[in-house]
Amino acid sequence: MCVCIYSIGLSMGGCLGWEEERYTDGSKWKFLEHKGPVFAPPYEPLPSNVKFYYDGKHMKLSPEAEEVATFFAKMLDHEYTTKDIFRKNFFKDWRKEMNAEEKAKLTDLKKCNFTEMSEYFKAQSEARKAMTKDEKLKIKEENERLLQEYGFCIMDNHRERIANFRIEPPGLFRGRGDHPKMGMLKRRIRPKDIIINCSKDSKHPEPPPGTKWKEVRHDNKVTWLVSWTENIQGSIKYIMLNPSSRIKGEKDWQKYETARRLKKCVDRIRTQYHEDWKSKEMRIRQRAVALYFIDKLALRAGNEKEEGETADTVGCCSLRVEHIKLYPENDGQEYVVEFDFLGKDSIRYYNKVPVEKRVFKNLQLFMENKEPDDDLFDRLNTSVLNKHLQELMDGLTAKVFRTYNASITLQQQLKQLTMPEFFSFKKILSYNRANRAVAILCNHQRAPPKTFEKSMQNLQTKIDAKRDQLSDAKRELKSAKADAKVRRDEKSKKAVETKKKAVQRIEEQLMKLEVQATDREENKQIALGTSKLNYLDPRISVAWCKKWGIPVEKIYNKTQREKFAWAIDMADEDFEF
DNA sequence: GGCTTTACTTAGAAGTCCTTCG
DNA sequence: CGAAGGACTTCTAAGTAAAGCC
């Protein structure tokens, strides 16, 4: 029933704690015990001096209506609250929580004045910041106690950290991008909404006094501990384990193993889709061109979405005619495709790429007689594509290409950019640059930090100061040398050596600062975290660290080291992805 | 030692992909 | 098939803690 996947032989009998086995029958665990979720704290009505005004007149709200009003008040400084859709959705849902009297009276959001509430919450947060050390410590200790009690579970003989043991508190839904549901009320979750999952032979978590769970089940084919249905999209939310857990780590490892299997057959697959560009069948041509984009540009699969339920975003299979432009010639290049669309989280994907003539001709064909809002690949969707991929390689899906291309790019770039003679901080710059190449490939952008310009300036100031310091040190060295030439004694010789050392030290410090400035500048609009956490086989990084004698702490912080414990333990310096 | 900046952590929304059901 | 449901991964922004600076 169980197969040993890998055993981690650590000296002194130590072990990572999850080296044993994996089940082959689809079960994820045998034993699971936990304390259930931590609920959001109950609503505390505002003090009576904090007033709400309607049409300029004070109005005391019922606790139910007041609570929802505070959600809006807390967001008053956010631009969300100026958006029409947000305001409309909020007001509609708020009215549902009002009593008859309030409903009759409060008919126009524009006449509502939340400023006192807003001021009150700002003052509260100021007060929190101004708390004494002791008070802060007390809160910290209480959080730690809660973490120890609810933040861990027992799964198959191991105490594992839970990722999110707190239930999401009620509030206003904030979608990303142009979300049609922004501003809607996210309901408070109660025990009777909660499904508990644990093993039969465990001590089941108790619901709060006087309440009942919706259900307690014992499904060991899934990994979640707690679930509930959220009221905005009607989707299910889960409490699951931390990335450091055995169950997540193994899954992560498998993901990279699948990507490595793709490496072995990717040439064959590429040859195949090149052939398919010539197919007589439209659906096959479309499939082949889409796959080419997924492979070459690391696009996401692009599932269909329910129109009007979410922001209008697309991936590869859901691209529409309006999202690409074709240029037979552009800036001296032939057959250029310009992509411009909103992807996941409404992040813009913009790219101009030259493609093979066959691809170009196919795209022209796909676009013939279509409206801008028609699907580019009308004979294709993700399930058709994935079924095809499954036939090409066991376990192959569209997203494996992203993982594969990200990881292989990191490996190549590391080889290309790391020079043996580099100081270690310069090697780390090389690492970050390799990481950056991947982030760019995967379109992991970020808004430039608000303080970016200023922080660059600060760094520049430091560099200038260091330069001055260096020229001073050099001058001193020079005069020490001259002095030594005249005196020709031990003492002055020693002085020269000391000054030499000083110059060297300052030179290195200057270089370090300059590297830091380069790194930061290049990172202005690029987010490295997502690829590091989700796309790059950590064994590549671990191997690189070992090869160049860079401590792994320079690359991975504590949380990341916990998540990648399996890789840190497994990979040696000649690991090849 | 207090203030500012940077790094890390958490939250929770938005994807992918598989399974189930009519 | 196609739609819906379910489980799990990926993603950015916001919040918090820690580090750096005067």
Side-chain angles (χ1 to χ4, degrees):
Chain A
M1 192 67 72
C2 305
V3 227
C4 196
I5 43 164
Y6 60 91
S7 46
I8 298 160
L10 284 182
S11 52
M12 331 251 306
C15 73
L16 289 176
W18 45 278
E19 73 283 77
E20 58 242 57
E21 51 238 35
R22 184 168 59 171
Y23 307 102
T24 49
D25 60 351
S27 38
K28 307 288 171 69
W29 45 262
K30 276 189 216 136
F31 182 80
L32 174 61
E33 181 170 285
H34 58 91
K35 287 292 188 71
V38 171
F39 288 93
Y43 179 64
E44 278 183 44
L46 294 170
S48 56
N49 63 321
V50 180
K51 295 187 182 108
F52 167 77
Y53 301 91
Y54 186 74
D55 208 6
K57 288 186 280 291
H58 169 226
M59 183 174 168
K60 174 79 189 156
L61 297 172
S62 64
E64 293 77 17
E66 186 188 86
E67 179 177 11
V68 179
T70 64
F71 298 153
F72 193 84
K74 281 178 183 164
M75 297 176 72
L76 221 49
D77 287 336
H78 205 288
E79 79 150 316
Y80 270 116
T81 56
T82 63
K83 293 186 178 176
D84 262 6
I85 300 175
F86 189 96
R87 296 174 66 88
K88 203 183 112 259
N89 286 333
F90 161 71
F91 199 54
K92 188 172 163 210
D93 280 3
W94 187 26
R95 286 180 58 80
K96 290 181 201 157
E97 303 302 309
M98 294 175 187
N99 60 32
E101 192 192 334
E102 289 162 339
K103 238 181 223 168
K105 214 167 162 190
L106 304 175
T107 53
D108 184 0
L109 181 56
K110 284 204 286 294
K111 292 181 180 166
C112 295
N113 181 345
F114 302 93
T115 46
E116 275 193 22
M117 289 186 195
S118 172
E119 294 303 321
Y120 171 72
F121 292 123
K122 277 184 214 162
Q124 291 251 300
S125 102
E126 285 309 309
R128 226 171 301 130
K129 277 185 211 150
M131 280 186 311
T132 64
K133 255 193 184 151
D134 244 29
E135 290 170 313
K136 282 184 183 167
L137 188 69
K138 234 177 160 181
I139 291 176
K140 207 173 168 186
E141 279 168 355
E142 173 59 16
N143 280 335
E144 182 58 28
R145 196 191 62 75
L146 219 60
L147 174 68
Q148 289 305 323
E149 180 164 5
Y150 293 96
F152 293 84
C153 72
I154 306 288
M155 185 180 273
D156 290 351
N157 304 320
H158 298 293
R159 184 167 182 260
E160 303 263 36
R161 180 83 190 269
I162 295 168
N164 56 323
F165 58 89
R166 286 168 204 274
I167 300 253
E168 296 172 19
L172 303 182
F173 175 79
R174 319 146 80 120
R176 304 264 174 93
D178 251 331
H179 198 117
K181 298 194 172 181
M182 63 168 78
M184 283 175 61
L185 175 64
K186 227 171 80 164
R187 249 188 40 240
R188 177 179 291 273
I189 304 301
R190 302 143 302 176
K192 64 173 180 178
D193 302 313
I194 295 290
I195 302 173
I196 298 288
N197 193 33
C198 61
S199 59
K200 253 182 214 156
D201 58 349
S202 74
K203 194 164 163 284
H204 302 183
E206 288 295 330
T211 67
K212 278 190 174 148
W213 301 126
K214 180 179 180 182
E215 184 190 335
V216 176
R217 67 170 77 156
H218 310 291
D219 181 358
N220 76 344
K221 300 283 190 276
V222 297
T223 68
W224 55 267
L225 320 185
V226 173
S227 77
W228 69 91
T229 302
E230 150 273 347
N231 69 300
I232 304 287
Q233 326 268 2
S235 64
I236 308 169
K237 298 260 186 172
Y238 303 93
I239 291 182
M240 290 182 186
L241 295 194
N242 199 64
S244 63
S245 61
R246 183 217 98 218
I247 209 153
K248 293 287 185 189
E250 260 175 24
K251 197 77 192 298
D252 208 32
W253 175 50
Q254 273 184 49
K255 173 180 78 182
Y256 292 112
E257 289 305 301
T258 305
R260 291 174 85 197
R261 282 195 287 118
L262 173 58
K263 185 192 177 189
K264 291 191 191 137
C265 63
V266 73
D267 290 338
R268 190 192 89 219
I269 291 172
R270 284 173 177 160
T271 311
Q272 154 103 250
Y273 68 64
H274 275 72
E275 280 302 306
D276 287 347
W277 292 340
K278 298 181 260 180
S279 170
K280 296 180 291 298
E281 279 186 80
M282 185 59 126
R283 57 173 194 99
I284 291 177
R285 287 183 179 225
Q286 291 195 356
R287 197 178 69 192
V289 171
L291 183 52
Y292 167 74
F293 286 162
I294 284 170
D295 183 18
K296 183 185 173 78
L297 304 172
L299 300 189
R300 295 186 189 83
N303 285 307
E304 298 100 298
K305 305 170 58 175
E306 222 176 319
E307 213 175 322
E309 296 291 302
T310 57
D312 177 20
T313 62
V314 297
C316 185
C317 293
S318 51
L319 280 170
R320 298 190 297 260
V321 170
E322 60 194 322
H323 297 131
I324 65 167
K325 270 192 195 144
L326 303 181
Y327 301 95
E329 214 224 284
N330 186 278
D331 292 334
Q333 290 179 306
E334 279 189 311
Y335 309 121
V336 173
V337 184
E338 181 184 49
F339 292 82
D340 193 351
F341 62 89
L342 297 182
K344 180 173 178 178
D345 286 338
S346 294
I347 300 289
R348 186 178 179 206
Y349 182 93
Y350 180 84
N351 202 359
K352 263 187 188 174
V353 272
V355 301
E356 279 86 338
K357 182 176 177 185
R358 273 230 158 75
V359 171
F360 195 85
K361 294 287 171 196
N362 270 314
L363 288 169
Q364 284 179 325
L365 180 68
F366 303 160
M367 289 163 82
E368 246 169 45
N369 303 318
K370 281 188 191 167
E371 297 296 317
D373 63 347
D374 286 338
D375 286 338
L376 177 64
F377 302 117
D378 53 301
R379 306 290 171 83
L380 184 71
N381 61 43
T382 52
S383 87
V384 168
L385 176 65
N386 281 334
K387 234 170 243 150
H388 171 64
L389 293 176
Q390 188 57 237
E391 284 163 13
L392 298 180
M393 185 194 104
D394 180 42
L396 186 61
T397 62
K399 86 188 185 85
V400 178
F401 281 88
R402 239 166 113 80
T403 312
Y404 161 71
N405 279 308
S407 288
I408 201 76
T409 301
L410 178 77
Q411 188 169 82
Q412 278 167 359
Q413 290 290 305
L414 284 177
K415 265 188 198 145
Q416 202 179 316
L417 299 174
T418 317
M419 300 302 159
E421 70 273 17
F422 283 176
F423 281 117
S424 66
F425 58 82
K426 216 166 162 209
K427 290 204 179 89
I428 292 167
L429 174 67
S430 300
Y431 180 90
N432 288 339
R433 283 181 160 163
N435 192 162
R436 232 160 0 246
V438 175
I440 289 166
L441 175 72
C442 294
N443 200 228
H444 292 139
Q445 299 184 17
R446 63 165 184 180
K450 285 177 205 79
T451 53
F452 184 83
E453 294 307 328
K454 205 177 157 225
S455 90
M456 273 325 275
Q457 242 169 21
N458 289 161
L459 199 50
Q460 193 54 51
T461 311
K462 273 198 210 169
I463 289 172
D464 293 342
K466 197 51 82 179
R467 286 224 174 94
D468 291 345
Q469 199 188 339
L470 181 61
S471 54
D472 286 351
K474 278 184 174 164
R475 197 170 328 110
E476 282 179 37
L477 173 61
K478 220 174 179 178
S479 75
K481 273 181 179 165
D483 194 40
K485 215 169 181 180
V486 178
R487 297 197 185 199
R488 300 182 166 279
D489 63 349
E490 273 310 304
K491 199 179 161 196
S492 56
K493 251 191 207 166
K494 238 186 190 154
V496 171
E497 282 313 304
T498 317
K499 298 287 179 199
K500 232 182 218 164
K501 284 253 167 67
V503 167
Q504 268 175 12
R505 203 187 61 235
I506 296 165
E507 268 175 343
E508 197 177 317
Q509 287 169 340
L510 176 62
M511 227 188 304
K512 224 178 209 167
L513 285 171
E514 284 171 339
V515 161
Q516 202 187 340
T518 311
D519 205 16
R520 191 175 296 175
E521 183 68 49
E522 290 177 359
N523 230 22
K524 183 175 181 181
Q525 313 208 50
I526 296 166
L528 299 185
T530 305
S531 50
K532 203 175 196 176
L533 242 41
N534 300 298
Y535 288 105
L536 302 176
D537 188 331
R539 290 170 296 183
I540 300 170
S541 302
V542 171
W544 179 87
C545 285
K546 288 191 175 160
K547 177 165 181 190
W548 300 109
I550 309 280
V552 78
E553 293 77 18
K554 298 278 180 190
I555 297 298
Y556 291 137
N557 67 32
K558 185 166 153 281
T559 320
Q560 295 170 157
R561 291 197 301 276
E562 281 166 10
K563 167 166 175 162
F564 297 134
W566 59 271
I568 293 172
D569 195 72
M570 201 188 282
D572 53 24
E573 70 169 87
D574 38 47
F575 170 82
E576 275 272 337
F577 175 77

